[in-house]
Amino acid sequence: MAHYAAPMSMLTPPGMGGKYRITGNSYPRMRRPRRRRRIAVTTLAVTVGLGALSWGTVELVDVFTGGGTTVRAAGEGRACEPDDTVKAGAVKDAEPSGKPTAGALPEPSAVTVNVYNATTRSGLAKETAEALKKRGFTVGEVANAPASLDKKVKEAGLLMGPPAAHRTGAFDVLHTQLPQARIKEVDRKGDEIDLVIGKAFKGLAKEKDAREAMAALASPSPSPSPSTC
């Protein structure tokens, strides 16, 4: 008895007959290996995570810096910070009512000074008054300090005068002779200045230093340009 052989499909490769035959009119779809898919998904997740971390860092910096952008070279210190130090010199109890213009300072002879001794050292007022007179100042009253000031001035000296002494520059001129003195405006008329010698007084400034200070007042150096932050 003759056996009937089933016809082979055109899609069946040679040698793959029987139950392995492929029938139909289309090729089978080949799937991408799962391992490659997992690698691709992992790479994408890492990229997104790094992007989110970078954005969060920028936002955090903005919160603490006020949203501004600061560019600073490596090792550069902080700039434009307020200076809390106080320069040595006069401590003024009242703000000046006005400042003289450059070159408009009065001559020492136009400044009348009353010298008072608030220390326990005798003869100090007379000695200081004579030194000021030699330097060209006009000397008024010379005496011990009144009870309200006697032995109560701890500084080297106290310069007391009316507001006009600021406007005319008389305070500034006399202050060159005793830079450690404290300046205090008092509500009174006239233009005389009281020099009250205090406990820390060790003498007037050297004449050379006083002349240099006067020259600096007459021709002040240009103010430095403000720094840009």
Side-chain angles (χ1 to χ4, degrees):
M1 182 176 179
H3 295 281
Y4 176 78
M8 296 181 63
S9 172
M10 295 181 64
L11 299 176
T12 303
M16 293 186 64
K19 62 179 180 180
Y20 296 103
R21 288 179 300 174
I22 301 175
T23 61
N25 56 4
S26 62
Y27 289 96
R29 295 179 179 274
M30 304 297 291
R31 293 184 178 179
R32 179 180 299 177
R34 293 184 177 179
R35 184 178 180 183
R36 294 184 179 179
R37 181 181 299 175
R38 286 197 298 268
I39 294 175
V41 172
T42 302
T43 302
L44 179 60
V46 172
T47 302
V48 173
L50 290 176
L53 180 61
S54 300
W55 176 258
T57 302
V58 172
E59 290 297 315
L60 186 61
V61 171
D62 284 343
V63 168
F64 286 100
T65 59
T69 301
T70 302
V71 179
R72 184 178 298 165
E76 182 179 354
R78 293 176 296 176
C80 303
E81 295 183 352
D83 185 5
D84 295 331
T85 58
V86 179
K87 295 182 179 179
V91 179
K92 301 182 180 180
D93 288 352
E95 290 296 327
S97 302
K99 279 291 184 181
T101 58
L105 293 171
E107 293 292 331
S109 58
V111 179
T112 301
V113 186
N114 301 316
V115 184
Y116 300 102
N117 184 9
T119 73
T120 58
R121 291 175 285 175
S122 61
L124 203 54
K126 182 179 179 181
E127 178 183 339
T128 303
E130 291 177 352
L132 287 173
K133 189 173 182 179
K134 290 180 179 179
R135 297 184 183 190
F137 289 88
T138 300
V139 176
E141 185 178 1
V142 180
N144 290 326
S148 59
L149 293 172
D150 189 30
K151 302 179 183 66
K152 297 178 181 179
V153 180
K154 297 180 180 180
E155 302 91 347
L158 176 63
L159 303 183
M160 301 174 60
H166 269 306
R167 292 193 297 269
T168 62
F171 266 141
D172 298 304
V173 172
L174 182 57
H175 194 248
T176 61
Q177 311 302 311
L178 189 59
Q180 301 84 8
R182 177 163 58 96
I183 297 176
K184 182 177 181 179
E185 285 185 359
V186 291
D187 187 14
R188 73 184 187 195
K189 297 185 181 298
D191 55 3
E192 294 183 357
I193 299 177
D194 298 337
L195 169 55
V196 183
I197 301 173
K199 183 178 180 180
F201 181 80
K202 294 182 180 180
L204 297 176
K206 295 181 179 180
E207 291 190 56
K208 178 183 177 181
D209 295 337
R211 286 196 300 269
E212 290 177 354
M214 284 282 291
L217 284 175
S219 301
S221 301
S223 301
S225 301
S227 58
T228 302
C229 297

